[in-house]
Amino acid sequence: MKPSLSTQVFAIVLGTALAVAVAMGVSAHMALNRGFLGYLNEQAVNRLELALVSVTAGYRENGGSWDFLREKPELWGRLLRPRLPEAQAPAVKSSPAELTGATRRFTLFDADRQRIAGFATPSADALERPVVVDGLTVGWLALTPFESVSSGAEKRFADAQARVAWAVGGGALLLAAGLAFWASRRLARPVRQVAEASHRLAAGDYNARVPERRSGDEVAQLSRDFNQLAHTLQRNEAMRREFMADVSHELRTPLGILNGELEALEDGVRQLDGTALASLRGEVVTLHKLVDDLYELSLADVGALAYRKAELDLRPLLRSTAGAFGERLQGSGLQLQLELPEQPLPAFGDERRLRQLFNNLFENSCRYTDAGGRLRIQAARGPGGTVIDVQDSGPGVTPEQLPRLFERFFRGEASRNRRTGGAGLGLSICQRIVEAHEGRIEAKPSPLGGLWVQVVLPAHA
């Protein structure tokens, strides 16, 4: 079984801290040893210079020969004592070189490089000083440098420093472990909450949410994005169910009427005359329009609607569309006000789709405006393109309904009176057409008391 995310974060942070602590401890230990050894060797070199003076004086005092050391080797230690005033002698005796036994690493050679006294096995990298008497080199005094800490005092000092270094490293490691545990819990907990909520969401629980953090980091943004995603999926699922219910209702009603009409004709209750045929044809037209609207919306959703755009003038389109609704407007007792400028209204679009746009807008106003009302259509050139305003008189739309007017199957009226209300797809199709032309459409309350739909279309590609 793979370790959890919190365990992985803890292991990564702790492992990194452990590697850093070990690296720092080892490097500090090596640097201390090298520096300490360098300090000891430096003190030993200073002591070598003092011993050189004593050895040279001893050679002079014993007849200019090294025989006194060959005959009495015990004089070697006395010969190395520095010949200094009494005031300086105590400081030399307590120096690090004396305390670490540097004189025990001195070796005396004669002029022929033959060992006379001192350290028996000098190293190849020993530091040498010539013993010069009356301008002649009569011997060599060599110092074998320290290569490791071995004596008691130095060993205790090095061990103490090592213990301090490991104690500090251990404390840092414990602190890193605590911080790693805190960080892993803090980072992994919201991620785990999102993962658990994702499982519930995938299982169909669209009410799944995660607590939102107030911090502005990426984890907080992840929580907010997940909740927004869950809300969107919940809303889409509700819209899908409403869509299926609306489609089934809109299809069932004309089909039910058709079925009833046909049964009445079969049973002889109704005669097959012009009235019956007109009724059947009306229901078929309703079904055909509903299916066409659904098909166009499905094509718009996948971006498959065909558009043949070109430079055109919107004034003829608006005039012809308004003229096509003239008889219907008179029959409904509606007054039409068409206000168009004398200058052209340029637009870059598909003439057939724009005609469909204006037809749906006029149809919507005619359908939902009370008899005796007004329909005002205005068009003008604006800074963002050509602006078309379609306004009607009452009844109006409540502020709560305005944002939903472009939803599929949404209708402002509460009932489903098929005499005045359509399927609720017209404005949705209008929105898709305007978006395909890179324009914008919005709905707001009309000064006339009804609905105001404003469309802005770009004048050029």
Side-chain angles (χ1 to χ4, degrees):
M1 183 178 181
K2 292 185 178 180
S4 62
L5 179 61
S6 58
T7 303
Q8 295 181 37
V9 174
F10 176 80
I12 292 173
V13 176
L14 182 59
T16 303
L18 177 60
V20 172
V22 171
M24 290 181 62
V26 171
S27 60
H29 180 69
M30 294 176 62
L32 176 64
N33 284 343
R34 292 179 180 177
F36 187 47
L37 289 175
Y39 171 73
L40 294 179
N41 287 324
E42 182 180 351
Q43 296 298 316
V45 171
N46 294 334
R47 183 65 181 84
L48 177 64
E49 300 297 338
L50 294 177
L52 182 61
V53 176
S54 300
V55 170
T56 303
Y59 181 84
R60 291 174 185 267
E61 293 172 357
N62 288 275
S65 174
W66 300 114
D67 292 339
F68 73 100
L69 287 177
R70 293 188 177 96
E71 295 172 357
K72 294 180 179 181
E74 65 271 11
L75 296 177
W76 171 245
R78 188 183 304 173
L79 184 63
L80 292 178
R81 294 175 185 174
R83 298 188 179 190
L84 296 172
E86 293 295 331
Q88 299 180 12
V92 175
K93 291 181 180 180
S94 61
S95 66
E98 294 293 337
L99 295 176
T100 57
T103 55
R104 294 195 297 268
R105 308 181 70 84
F106 291 169
T107 305
L108 179 61
F109 299 94
D110 59 14
D112 297 329
R113 299 276 184 179
Q114 298 297 317
R115 177 181 171 276
I116 300 173
F119 192 51
T121 57
S123 63
D125 59 344
L127 182 64
E128 296 181 344
R129 292 289 187 271
V131 181
V132 181
V133 178
D134 297 333
L136 296 176
T137 300
V138 298
W140 299 86
L141 186 60
L143 165 64
T144 299
F146 290 97
E147 296 180 356
S148 63
V149 177
S150 57
S151 63
E154 302 93 325
K155 188 68 174 176
R156 286 193 299 273
F157 175 77
D159 290 344
Q161 294 299 315
R163 286 194 297 271
V164 171
W166 287 114
V168 172
L173 185 61
L174 291 177
L175 178 62
L179 291 176
F181 179 76
W182 174 82
S184 62
R185 294 291 300 274
R186 179 178 176 82
L187 294 176
R189 181 184 301 172
V191 176
R192 184 167 57 250
Q193 291 174 344
V194 172
E196 293 173 354
S198 299
H199 288 305
R200 297 200 305 270
L201 189 64
D205 181 10
Y206 296 102
N207 293 316
R209 299 291 188 276
V210 295
E212 292 190 7
R213 299 156 58 92
R214 295 185 178 180
S215 60
D217 55 15
E218 291 82 355
V219 178
Q221 184 64 39
L222 175 63
S223 301
R224 290 191 292 269
D225 290 344
F226 175 84
N227 288 339
Q228 181 64 33
L229 172 64
H231 174 73
T232 303
L233 290 176
Q234 185 180 31
R235 183 172 177 272
N236 290 342
E237 176 63 16
M239 291 177 61
R240 185 189 67 82
R241 294 178 179 179
E242 291 178 1
F243 177 80
M244 296 302 297
D246 290 336
V247 168
S248 62
H249 174 85
E250 296 296 336
L251 291 176
R252 184 171 60 249
T253 302
L255 287 175
I257 295 176
L258 283 174
N259 185 64
E261 293 280 358
L262 292 175
E263 288 182 352
L265 291 173
E266 289 179 351
D267 295 339
V269 177
R270 187 171 183 177
Q271 298 297 323
L272 183 59
D273 52 15
T275 303
L277 290 176
S279 176
L280 292 174
R281 178 174 177 77
E283 298 304 326
V284 171
V285 169
T286 300
L287 277 174
H288 190 272
K289 186 177 187 307
L290 176 61
V291 172
D292 283 346
D293 288 347
L294 290 173
Y295 179 68
E296 289 206 2
L297 281 176
S298 65
L299 292 180
D301 287 340
V302 298
L305 276 181
Y307 288 88
R308 296 181 179 178
K309 298 181 182 179
E311 300 283 349
L312 51 87
D313 185 3
L314 294 179
R315 291 180 303 168
L317 275 179
L318 291 171
R319 288 195 187 99
S320 62
T321 304
F325 279 83
E327 183 178 349
R328 181 172 176 180
L329 291 172
Q330 291 180 359
S332 301
L334 298 178
Q335 180 184 357
L336 174 64
Q337 296 179 347
L338 182 61
E339 301 176 5
L340 300 177
E342 296 181 0
Q343 297 79 16
L345 295 176
F348 184 76
D350 186 326
E351 181 178 353
R352 184 171 65 90
R353 293 297 179 186
L354 291 179
R355 188 181 299 277
Q356 182 183 10
L357 166 67
F358 299 144
N359 273 327
N360 286 347
L361 292 178
F362 295 171
E363 173 74 22
N364 185 76
S365 294
C366 292
R367 189 183 298 274
Y368 291 104
T369 303
D370 291 340
R374 285 188 298 165
L375 174 60
R376 178 187 299 167
I377 302 171
Q378 297 173 313
R381 296 188 63 174
T386 301
V387 182
I388 301 99
D389 294 308
V390 179
Q391 304 180 48
D392 55 48
S393 57
V397 179
T398 63
E400 294 78 13
Q401 293 176 333
L402 282 176
R404 301 191 58 194
L405 285 180
F406 298 100
E407 294 180 7
R408 299 174 184 179
F409 294 106
F410 178 79
R411 289 177 294 191
E413 60 175 1
S415 66
R416 289 187 175 271
N417 188 326
R418 301 185 69 254
R419 184 183 63 83
T420 59
L425 298 176
L427 291 181
S428 296
I429 295 176
C430 290
Q431 185 182 46
R432 299 299 189 278
I433 294 175
V434 172
E435 290 176 351
H437 284 79
E438 299 180 1
R440 65 178 186 272
I441 183 173
E442 61 176 331
K444 47 191 174 182
S446 170
L448 302 179
L451 181 66
W452 179 1
V453 178
Q454 185 176 76
V455 178
V456 181
L457 297 174
H460 304 283

